[in-house]
């Protein structure tokens, strides 16, 4: 299946991105997906074309690459590569997570940083876009090794970040433990207790309630809104959620609260299928407390099935929530989902559907919520954490969750209305891309040529 053609006005911009960023295929994919929506925007707003706003948005403001040396438990020296891409600060300080995973290279960080610009804009909060990480593989590493790595990583990163400059958080491989070690090192080096420099902090030192749950809860609120717009609800719906990390866990929790039934989740080795509904407490115990693999689930539930190397998208469901990683749903998976009766897809992960898969969902006219809208609840709650830090306050769980829900409802309405305005009703891809772009573009016009 061929991807959508690009408008004449944006094709040369895409060609220049390809030329300037060779081999960075995930970045190309993320840029292309946004540019596919922007042709009609340039017709309505010739000032964006004159001022080369799209060309400027595609070029990061700053890219930092650094060596991260550390010693493992055997005393061996290890070298990793660290990244921070400060993509766009038109709306606020750079904001976005850090990913520690062996697949990380500049192209992954740039795709994530690029998506983050539009996602952060959609939240309506004052945050720009950035992303960072390392090709460090935390799997199988001891707590001490993780600490030494995080300290070495921050020993370089600290000079580039700050509460008004760039505010990192977690992503794949970076959770509360890693944020704690990095915060400690930042505090030690700078001699400043600057709570707002990182988000996703522990609750006892400036973290926000609901931040842990936020990405999964937010994605579920978004899907709930999409279902409502179709006159439906989660009630009684069979759902599958890929992954079993932070996003997946709190997606399963909120789906259950809203009346849906999750029957499957996964990790990079295989899939758990439990027809009577997943045991969430067990998943939390295995993943959050004991840091084990999901295959151990069947030791506790004999009626559940573990499918080694299985494909979760072959399990029939009405709602699918990809919450693992990029490009986990291809064109064929998307066809299988649609054929099996899936009516809604909400992306908890960043760019989990390939362009072929997206095309299948849009042509089938199912409710498809792209990551930059559906998973914006995580970073939105990071912005709420920054607000609390700025006024040295901490809000209750219920108050913070209500704010998150309002933000997700607003993102949904914005995407829905813009899709209508641009003649593509129900197309949340167009709504999210244009809705996210316009605010950034207007701020860039206001700031002049910088
Ligand atoms: N990594 C998350 C994301 O993809 C959260 C980033 C943040 O909280 O800054 O949006």
């Amino acid at each position: 299946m061929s991807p959508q053609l690009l408008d004449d006005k944006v094709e040369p911009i895409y060609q220049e991105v390809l030329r300037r960023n060779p081999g960075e295929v995930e970045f190309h994919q993320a840029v292309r997906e946004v540019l596919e929506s922007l042709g009609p925007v340039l017709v309505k707003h010739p000032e964006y074309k004159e001022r080369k706003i799209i060309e400027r948005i595609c070029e990061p403001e700053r890219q930092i690459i650094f060596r991260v040396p550390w010693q493992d438990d055997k005393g061996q020296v290890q070298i990793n590569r660290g990244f921070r891409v400060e993509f766009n600060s038109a709306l606020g300080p750079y904001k976005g997570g850090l990913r520690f995973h062996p697949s990380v290279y500049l192209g992954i960080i740039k795709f994530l940083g690029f998506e983050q610009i539009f996602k952060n804009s959609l939240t309506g909060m004052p945050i720009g876009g950035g992303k960072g990480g390392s090709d460090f593989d935390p799997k199988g590493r001891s707590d001490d090794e993780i600490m030494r790595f995080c300290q070495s990583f921050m020993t370089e990163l600290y000079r580039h970040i700050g509460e008004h400059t760039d505010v990192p958080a977690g992503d794949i491989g970076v959770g509360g433990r890693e944020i704690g070690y990095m915060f400690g090192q930042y505090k030690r080096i700078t001699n400043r207790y600057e709570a707002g420099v990182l988000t996703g902090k522990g609750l006892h030192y400036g973290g926000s309630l609901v931040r842990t749950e936020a990405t999964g809860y937010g994605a579920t609120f978004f899907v709930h809104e999409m279902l409502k717009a179709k006159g439906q609800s989660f009630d009684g719906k069979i759902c599958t959620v890929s992954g079993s990390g932070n996003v997946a866990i709190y997606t399963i929790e909120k789906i259950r609260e809203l009346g849906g039934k999750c029957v499957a989740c996964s990790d990079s080795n295989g899939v758990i299928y439990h027809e009577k509904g997943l045991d969430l407490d067990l998943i939390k115990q295995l993943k959050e407390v004991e840091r084990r693999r999901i295959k151990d689930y069947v030791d506790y539930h004999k009626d559940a099935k573990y499918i080694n190397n299985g494909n979760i998208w072959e399990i029939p469901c009405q709602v699918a929530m990809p919450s693992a990683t990029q490009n986990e749903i291809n064109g064929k998976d998307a066809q299988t989902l649609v054929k099996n009766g899936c009516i809604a897809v909400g992306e908890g992960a960043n760019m989990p559907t390939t362009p072929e898969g997206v095309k299948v969902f849009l042509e089938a006219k199912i409710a498809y919520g792209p990551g930059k809208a559906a998973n914006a609840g995580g970073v939105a709650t990071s912005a709420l954490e920054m607000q609390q830090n700025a006024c040295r306050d901490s809000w209750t769980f219920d108050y913070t969750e209500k704010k998150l829900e309002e933000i997700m409802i607003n993102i949904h309405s914005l995407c829905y209305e813009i899709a209508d305005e641009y003649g593509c009703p129900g197309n949340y891809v167009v709504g999210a891309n244009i809705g996210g772009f316009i605010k950034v573009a207007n701020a860039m016009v206001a700031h002049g040529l910088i």
Side-chain angles (χ1 to χ4, degrees):
M1 226 178 305
S2 59
Q4 195 184 317
L5 288 178
L6 283 176
D7 186 281
D8 285 354
K9 289 178 285 307
V10 295
E11 177 67 33
I13 305 177
Y14 182 62
Q15 289 307 322
E16 181 60 7
V17 168
L18 294 181
R19 188 195 68 76
R20 194 174 258 162
N21 305 279
E24 297 175 3
V25 288
E26 296 84 2
F27 178 49
H28 303 162
Q29 184 183 332
V31 170
R32 183 172 180 113
E33 196 211 272
V34 172
L35 295 198
E36 278 173 1
S37 305
L38 294 186
V41 181
L42 293 184
V43 177
K44 272 200 186 177
H45 295 274
E47 71 276 19
Y48 298 159
K49 186 165 183 291
E50 270 156 43
R51 291 167 208 232
K52 300 214 167 160
I53 296 294
I54 303 181
E55 290 89 329
R56 279 197 266 157
I57 281 193
C58 291
E59 183 65 20
E61 289 176 16
R62 189 178 296 114
Q63 306 184 55
I64 302 147
I65 304 182
F66 51 98
R67 181 171 67 201
V68 189
W70 58 283
Q71 237 176 345
D72 66 20
D73 285 345
K74 297 191 189 99
Q76 302 284 326
V77 172
Q78 302 279 345
I79 312 290
N80 285 99
R81 183 171 286 183
F83 302 90
R84 186 73 186 167
V85 173
E86 297 179 335
F87 227 117
N88 192 293
S89 60
L91 296 180
Y94 310 105
K95 181 83 197 84
L98 298 169
R99 177 175 292 192
F100 292 170
H101 191 270
S103 64
V104 164
Y105 76 108
L106 187 57
I108 293 272
I109 300 299
K110 272 160 75 175
F111 116 63
L112 291 164
F114 186 75
E115 291 257 310
Q116 201 84 47
I117 304 170
F118 307 99
K119 183 196 304 194
N120 293 4
S121 160
L122 284 170
T123 66
M125 309 293 287
I127 41 180
K131 202 87 185 191
S134 174
D135 57 3
F136 171 68
D137 186 359
K139 224 186 263 170
R141 290 293 176 192
S142 71
D143 208 77
D144 283 346
E145 289 178 317
I146 299 283
M147 182 177 74
R148 287 195 292 275
F149 177 81
C150 289
Q151 290 177 337
S152 179
F153 186 84
M154 186 51 84
T155 301
E156 172 59 35
L157 188 67
Y158 88 93
R159 71 189 78 246
H160 307 289
I161 63 176
E163 64 174 321
H164 300 297
T165 310
D166 184 355
V167 182
D171 195 83
I172 294 172
V174 178
R177 173 180 59 167
E178 292 74 16
I179 293 293
Y181 293 144
M182 288 191 271
F183 184 74
Q185 185 73 350
Y186 182 86
K187 180 167 72 68
R188 186 174 190 196
I189 297 176
T190 59
N191 193 32
R192 281 164 63 87
Y193 203 111
E194 189 185 327
V197 70
L198 289 170
T199 60
K201 297 182 293 296
L203 296 176
H204 42 301
Y205 66 93
S208 171
L209 285 163
V210 193
R211 178 62 191 88
T212 305
E213 295 84 355
T215 311
Y217 278 18
T220 311
F221 287 141
F222 191 88
V223 171
H224 193 212
E225 291 305 300
M226 292 200 301
L227 289 171
K228 277 203 261 176
K230 280 179 164 274
Q232 305 246 17
S233 78
F234 265 109
D235 214 23
K237 296 261 180 329
I238 302 294
C239 310
T240 55
V241 180
S242 65
S244 48
N246 165 267
V247 181
I249 286 175
Y250 293 97
T251 298
I252 297 170
E253 184 162 289
K254 188 51 79 180
I255 288 177
R256 235 173 40 173
E257 264 178 60
L258 294 175
K261 180 163 122 181
C262 290
V263 296
C265 67
S266 62
D267 66 15
S268 53
N269 296 114
V271 176
I272 290 291
Y273 175 57
H274 200 173
E275 200 189 343
K276 75 171 197 218
L278 292 170
D279 176 350
L280 185 59
D281 291 337
L282 175 60
I283 298 173
K284 283 188 181 175
Q285 179 66 25
L286 290 173
K287 301 299 296 186
E288 293 186 323
V289 182
E290 298 174 26
R291 297 182 191 271
R292 286 160 67 182
R293 304 301 291 172
I294 201 67
K295 73 169 177 355
D296 296 348
Y297 184 98
V298 289
D299 296 344
Y300 302 84
H301 286 287
K302 298 296 172 207
D303 56 338
K305 226 168 55 192
Y306 176 66
I307 314 158
N308 196 26
N309 271 321
N311 182 348
I312 192 170
W313 312 123
E314 287 170 5
I315 297 171
C317 66
Q318 289 149 303
V319 178
M321 303 213 33
S323 308
T325 195
Q326 66 272 359
N327 292 329
E328 52 169 312
I329 298 184
N330 62 27
K332 196 165 153 272
D333 299 329
Q335 276 165 354
T336 308
L337 281 165
V338 171
K339 189 177 82 218
N340 286 341
C342 178
I343 58 161
V345 174
E347 295 185 337
N350 290 312
M351 206 168 75
T353 311
T354 64
E356 295 75 25
V358 174
K359 198 162 175 240
V360 171
F361 292 147
L362 294 179
E363 281 175 5
K365 294 205 179 305
I366 67 164
Y368 166 63
K372 60 173 81 70
N375 73 39
V379 75
T381 309
S382 277
L384 299 178
E385 183 173 333
M386 291 162 74
Q387 270 188 20
Q388 292 167 79
N389 294 153
C391 50
R392 298 179 188 278
D393 197 1
S394 54
W395 305 338
T396 64
F397 192 96
D398 288 352
Y399 178 80
T400 317
E401 189 187 8
K402 202 77 220 136
K403 287 221 159 219
L404 165 65
E405 189 178 5
E406 276 165 20
I407 291 169
M408 297 315 296
I409 292 173
N410 287 340
I411 297 176
H412 177 271
S413 325
L414 180 73
C415 295
Y416 193 88
E417 282 158 22
I418 291 191
D420 259 358
E421 184 189 331
Y422 279 82
C424 316
N427 186 327
Y428 292 96
V429 174
V430 165
N433 286 338
I434 298 181
F437 173 78
I438 284 180
K439 279 186 216 157
V440 181
N442 288 342
M444 289 175 74
V445 169
H447 294 164
L449 183 56
I450 53 168

